[in-house]
Amino acid sequence: MKKYLVAYSIALQETLQRRSTLLMDRLGGFAIVVSLYSFWNALLGDKPSFLGYTRSEMLTYVLLINVLRSFVFTGRGWQLVGEISSGRISSYLVRPISYHGYSLALDMAQKTVHAVSAFLEVALLAWLISGGIFLPRDPATWALFAAAAVLSSLVFFFLEMLVSSLAFWTSESGGPLFCFELFLQFAAGAFFPLDVLPEGIQRLLSATPFPYMVFFPARIFLDKVPHPEALRLLAVELAWLAAVVFAALGLWRQGVQSYAAEGG
Amino acid sequence: MAPAIETKGLTKDYRSPVKEPGLWGGIRSLVNRRYKDIRAVNDVSLRIEEGELVGFLGANGAGKTTTLKMLSGLLTPTAGEALALGHVPWRREAAFQKKLSLVMGQRSQLWWELPAYETFRLNQAIYGIAEADFKMHLDELVDLLDLGEHLSVPVKKLSLGERMRAELAAALLHGPRLLLLDEPTIGLDVVMQKKVREFVKAYNQRHGATIMLTSHNMTDVVALCKRVIVIERGRILYDGALDRLVESYADHKILRVRFSTPVTASDLRTLGSVVHCEGESATLEVPRANVSASAAALLRSYPVADLNVEEVAIDDIVRRLFSHS
């Protein structure tokens, strides 16, 4: 366990060391929030509610997207693709360390920095739009939201590992990963709440792990899910996590077996 | 005593896609991709005793790196067996990995933005090195590799030579019993190459670690290895003393000369066999025994601006060996 803690601490130092990259990342995320916020603000106009969301709920949703994006959508997929195709992965495979554990430690470091900055950004925005934010009163809601967010980030991490492991077989796995990330943002509800979509599409999406990543945690936060139902959603998400971990590790083992250590 | 490495009939095939030339070939390979098997390592059997320092020679694509990758557990062979320090390498057991180190000259495990010391700390945790051992090994490596002031500088600010030495230190902190070095001096200048060589030799002598190294650089091999294994197209062509290999297949050295005024090939024929002579530059092959005499004669009788004495390139020796086999 100690090795992963040391990896976490080193990765934290490195993330902070790359100040301009961090700043650019944050500015990019902030720009998305501001544009989504302006978009929904314009749509809402003078209406008290729109598509089942009150003004403050919709604006809170948009701000939550920023926090969840920073915490959930920071996997290590691109690093894995790069490390496999450049052959750098070799240096991990000959050392007594689990690549997934090590990557997760690195990812957690990234998440720590990004989640803290996202929180500060949202606090700033909330202060600027003074009082338009929905904050749940029941501490149980906060706890359920936090549990859902942690599970989501793990599901995302292992999903990315799963898709990126394709790089063991093809040098062109960047394409699938790119499409996966794009589709995922839409299907997770990272652009808008999924219940504004037609019923059929919603039903289809709820059979995938995607809505559990942003949409459900956000709905839990907005107190739109009764607590027993929230617990059921968490149980389903846990089952998804188990399935995704199983698949990612299985594919990984196969990939390492057939690894041709390209690049000399 | 059990050998450090023993392999029997080690064989590795790669599958690589075949693309026919041109656009039409590209379209066809999109729909119906054909593959061809390439045998990178073919029936390699070898035995290396504990504490040996063995040079692994061969041209590009001969199968050196593939063999090292199998011995380190990165690749699973298509056929054959291997035991390294009593373990089947490709099972990748932690007990084996803690005794092994693989260093690839063009790969880095150092954290780019941070001082190398942070990577050392990470490796301490990964290999479970006790604090006292860590300090002892680090002190020794810093001393041998002359790393002192470089430890606190971010890796990206180090020169290639400094980075390579830090890389070696990171790879050796856990005191591996088996060290596989793939092109450890590639890209380094002559002074740095020498430092790295001296270090490898000292490490082998001090710790009795088994070391297997691949190199393009004949000087590396001559300075370090008594025993060499030559591999060509995946097969072992020669396994034995370096002295005997060099005597048999590199019985001459290369003199590279630059003159201040043009010289003709016929002038130089008495000194050795003229490989190339054009205007002011010439290259001669001279039997080992005559090198000093020929060099002295050149300096005495011609307007020499620059003179270099070089070993025959490894690729040449291997080519000669290959044509004899």
Short mmCIF file of all heavy atoms in Angstrom, two decimals, chain A residues 205-229:
data_model
loop_
_atom_site.label_atom_id
_atom_site.label_comp_id
_atom_site.label_asym_id
_atom_site.label_seq_id
_atom_site.Cartn_x
_atom_site.Cartn_y
_atom_site.Cartn_z
N LEU A 205 -30.20 4.57 -22.24
CA LEU A 205 -28.99 5.00 -21.52
C LEU A 205 -28.94 4.44 -20.11
O LEU A 205 -27.86 4.12 -19.59
CB LEU A 205 -28.92 6.54 -21.47
CG LEU A 205 -28.54 7.23 -22.77
CD1 LEU A 205 -28.57 8.74 -22.58
CD2 LEU A 205 -27.16 6.79 -23.23
N SER A 206 -30.14 4.28 -19.50
CA SER A 206 -30.10 3.82 -18.10
C SER A 206 -29.69 2.35 -18.02
O SER A 206 -29.42 1.85 -16.93
CB SER A 206 -31.45 4.05 -17.41
OG SER A 206 -32.41 3.22 -18.01
N ALA A 207 -29.62 1.68 -19.17
CA ALA A 207 -29.12 0.30 -19.16
C ALA A 207 -27.59 0.27 -19.28
O ALA A 207 -26.99 -0.79 -19.35
CB ALA A 207 -29.75 -0.48 -20.30
N THR A 208 -26.97 1.45 -19.32
CA THR A 208 -25.50 1.53 -19.39
C THR A 208 -24.97 2.15 -18.10
O THR A 208 -25.76 2.69 -17.31
CB THR A 208 -25.05 2.43 -20.57
OG1 THR A 208 -25.37 3.78 -20.21
CG2 THR A 208 -25.74 2.07 -21.87
N PRO A 209 -23.65 2.08 -17.86
CA PRO A 209 -23.15 2.70 -16.62
C PRO A 209 -23.04 4.22 -16.71
O PRO A 209 -22.78 4.88 -15.71
CB PRO A 209 -21.76 2.08 -16.47
CG PRO A 209 -21.35 1.64 -17.82
CD PRO A 209 -22.61 1.33 -18.58
N PHE A 210 -23.25 4.78 -17.92
CA PHE A 210 -22.94 6.21 -18.12
C PHE A 210 -23.73 7.18 -17.26
O PHE A 210 -23.14 8.08 -16.65
CB PHE A 210 -23.03 6.58 -19.60
CG PHE A 210 -22.20 5.68 -20.47
CD1 PHE A 210 -22.75 5.06 -21.60
CD2 PHE A 210 -20.88 5.41 -20.16
CE1 PHE A 210 -21.99 4.22 -22.39
CE2 PHE A 210 -20.11 4.56 -20.94
CZ PHE A 210 -20.68 3.96 -22.06
N PRO A 211 -25.09 7.04 -17.18
CA PRO A 211 -25.83 8.04 -16.40
C PRO A 211 -25.44 8.06 -14.93
O PRO A 211 -25.70 9.03 -14.23
CB PRO A 211 -27.29 7.61 -16.54
CG PRO A 211 -27.33 6.64 -17.66
CD PRO A 211 -25.98 6.03 -17.77
N TYR A 212 -24.78 6.99 -14.47
CA TYR A 212 -24.39 6.94 -13.06
C TYR A 212 -23.21 7.86 -12.79
O TYR A 212 -22.82 8.05 -11.64
CB TYR A 212 -24.01 5.51 -12.67
CG TYR A 212 -25.20 4.57 -12.73
CD1 TYR A 212 -25.58 3.98 -13.93
CD2 TYR A 212 -25.97 4.33 -11.59
CE1 TYR A 212 -26.68 3.15 -13.99
CE2 TYR A 212 -27.08 3.50 -11.65
CZ TYR A 212 -27.43 2.92 -12.85
OH TYR A 212 -28.53 2.12 -12.91
N MET A 213 -22.63 8.41 -13.85
CA MET A 213 -21.40 9.18 -13.63
C MET A 213 -21.63 10.64 -13.31
O MET A 213 -20.93 11.19 -12.48
CB MET A 213 -20.53 9.07 -14.86
CG MET A 213 -20.24 7.62 -15.10
SD MET A 213 -19.14 7.47 -16.45
CE MET A 213 -18.16 6.20 -15.82
N VAL A 214 -22.59 11.28 -13.98
CA VAL A 214 -22.85 12.68 -13.68
C VAL A 214 -24.33 12.89 -13.35
O VAL A 214 -24.68 13.50 -12.33
CB VAL A 214 -22.46 13.58 -14.88
CG1 VAL A 214 -22.93 15.01 -14.66
CG2 VAL A 214 -20.95 13.55 -15.09
N PHE A 215 -25.19 12.32 -14.19
CA PHE A 215 -26.61 12.59 -14.07
C PHE A 215 -27.18 12.17 -12.72
O PHE A 215 -27.79 12.97 -12.02
CB PHE A 215 -27.35 11.89 -15.22
CG PHE A 215 -28.82 12.10 -15.22
CD1 PHE A 215 -29.35 13.39 -15.27
CD2 PHE A 215 -29.69 11.02 -15.15
CE1 PHE A 215 -30.72 13.60 -15.26
CE2 PHE A 215 -31.06 11.22 -15.14
CZ PHE A 215 -31.58 12.51 -15.19
N PHE A 216 -26.96 10.90 -12.33
CA PHE A 216 -27.53 10.43 -11.07
C PHE A 216 -26.92 11.13 -9.85
O PHE A 216 -27.66 11.58 -8.98
CB PHE A 216 -27.44 8.90 -10.95
CG PHE A 216 -28.41 8.19 -11.87
CD1 PHE A 216 -28.07 7.00 -12.49
CD2 PHE A 216 -29.66 8.73 -12.12
CE1 PHE A 216 -28.96 6.35 -13.34
CE2 PHE A 216 -30.56 8.09 -12.96
CZ PHE A 216 -30.22 6.90 -13.58
N PRO A 217 -25.59 11.26 -9.79
CA PRO A 217 -25.06 12.00 -8.64
C PRO A 217 -25.64 13.40 -8.53
O PRO A 217 -25.97 13.88 -7.44
CB PRO A 217 -23.55 12.06 -8.91
CG PRO A 217 -23.29 10.89 -9.79
CD PRO A 217 -24.52 10.69 -10.61
N ALA A 218 -25.80 14.07 -9.69
CA ALA A 218 -26.33 15.44 -9.68
C ALA A 218 -27.78 15.44 -9.19
O ALA A 218 -28.18 16.31 -8.42
CB ALA A 218 -26.22 16.06 -11.06
N ARG A 219 -28.55 14.45 -9.64
CA ARG A 219 -29.96 14.38 -9.21
C ARG A 219 -30.06 14.10 -7.70
O ARG A 219 -30.93 14.62 -7.02
CB ARG A 219 -30.70 13.29 -9.98
CG ARG A 219 -31.20 13.79 -11.33
CD ARG A 219 -31.94 12.70 -12.08
NE ARG A 219 -33.20 12.32 -11.43
CZ ARG A 219 -34.34 12.97 -11.54
NH1 ARG A 219 -34.38 14.09 -12.26
NH2 ARG A 219 -35.43 12.55 -10.95
N ILE A 220 -29.12 13.29 -7.23
CA ILE A 220 -29.11 13.01 -5.78
C ILE A 220 -28.85 14.32 -5.04
O ILE A 220 -29.53 14.66 -4.08
CB ILE A 220 -28.02 11.96 -5.42
CG1 ILE A 220 -28.43 10.59 -5.96
CG2 ILE A 220 -27.80 11.89 -3.91
CD1 ILE A 220 -27.40 9.50 -5.79
N PHE A 221 -27.89 15.08 -5.54
CA PHE A 221 -27.53 16.35 -4.91
C PHE A 221 -28.73 17.30 -4.90
O PHE A 221 -28.97 18.02 -3.94
CB PHE A 221 -26.35 16.99 -5.64
CG PHE A 221 -25.78 18.20 -4.96
CD1 PHE A 221 -24.77 18.07 -4.01
CD2 PHE A 221 -26.25 19.47 -5.27
CE1 PHE A 221 -24.25 19.18 -3.37
CE2 PHE A 221 -25.74 20.58 -4.63
CZ PHE A 221 -24.73 20.44 -3.68
N LEU A 222 -29.49 17.28 -6.01
CA LEU A 222 -30.62 18.21 -6.14
C LEU A 222 -31.86 17.70 -5.39
O LEU A 222 -32.94 18.25 -5.56
CB LEU A 222 -30.96 18.42 -7.62
CG LEU A 222 -29.88 19.13 -8.44
CD1 LEU A 222 -30.26 19.17 -9.92
CD2 LEU A 222 -29.69 20.55 -7.92
N ASP A 223 -31.68 16.65 -4.61
CA ASP A 223 -32.77 16.07 -3.81
C ASP A 223 -33.94 15.60 -4.67
O ASP A 223 -35.09 15.65 -4.25
CB ASP A 223 -33.28 17.10 -2.77
CG ASP A 223 -32.80 16.71 -1.38
OD1 ASP A 223 -32.42 15.53 -1.20
OD2 ASP A 223 -32.82 17.57 -0.49
N LYS A 224 -33.65 15.18 -5.90
CA LYS A 224 -34.71 14.71 -6.78
C LYS A 224 -34.87 13.20 -6.68
O LYS A 224 -35.69 12.61 -7.37
CB LYS A 224 -34.42 15.11 -8.23
CG LYS A 224 -34.65 16.58 -8.49
CD LYS A 224 -34.45 16.91 -9.94
CE LYS A 224 -34.83 18.34 -10.26
NZ LYS A 224 -36.27 18.59 -10.21
N VAL A 225 -34.02 12.57 -5.88
CA VAL A 225 -34.09 11.12 -5.73
C VAL A 225 -34.33 10.81 -4.26
O VAL A 225 -33.53 11.21 -3.41
CB VAL A 225 -32.75 10.46 -6.17
CG1 VAL A 225 -32.87 8.95 -6.17
CG2 VAL A 225 -32.32 10.98 -7.52
N PRO A 226 -35.43 10.10 -3.94
CA PRO A 226 -35.63 9.72 -2.54
C PRO A 226 -34.47 8.83 -2.08
O PRO A 226 -33.91 8.08 -2.89
CB PRO A 226 -36.94 8.92 -2.56
CG PRO A 226 -37.54 9.12 -3.91
CD PRO A 226 -36.47 9.59 -4.83
N HIS A 227 -34.13 8.91 -0.82
CA HIS A 227 -32.93 8.21 -0.36
C HIS A 227 -32.93 6.70 -0.59
O HIS A 227 -31.89 6.16 -0.99
CB HIS A 227 -32.65 8.56 1.10
CG HIS A 227 -32.14 9.97 1.24
ND1 HIS A 227 -31.85 10.56 2.44
CD2 HIS A 227 -31.88 10.91 0.29
CE1 HIS A 227 -31.43 11.80 2.24
NE2 HIS A 227 -31.47 12.03 0.94
N PRO A 228 -34.05 6.00 -0.38
CA PRO A 228 -34.01 4.55 -0.67
C PRO A 228 -33.68 4.28 -2.13
O PRO A 228 -32.90 3.38 -2.47
CB PRO A 228 -35.42 4.06 -0.34
CG PRO A 228 -35.99 5.10 0.56
CD PRO A 228 -35.35 6.40 0.19
N GLU A 229 -34.23 5.13 -3.02
CA GLU A 229 -33.95 4.98 -4.46
C GLU A 229 -32.47 5.30 -4.74
O GLU A 229 -31.82 4.64 -5.55
CB GLU A 229 -34.89 5.92 -5.24
CG GLU A 229 -34.60 6.06 -6.73
CD GLU A 229 -34.80 4.76 -7.52
OE1 GLU A 229 -35.22 3.76 -6.91
OE2 GLU A 229 -34.49 4.76 -8.73
#
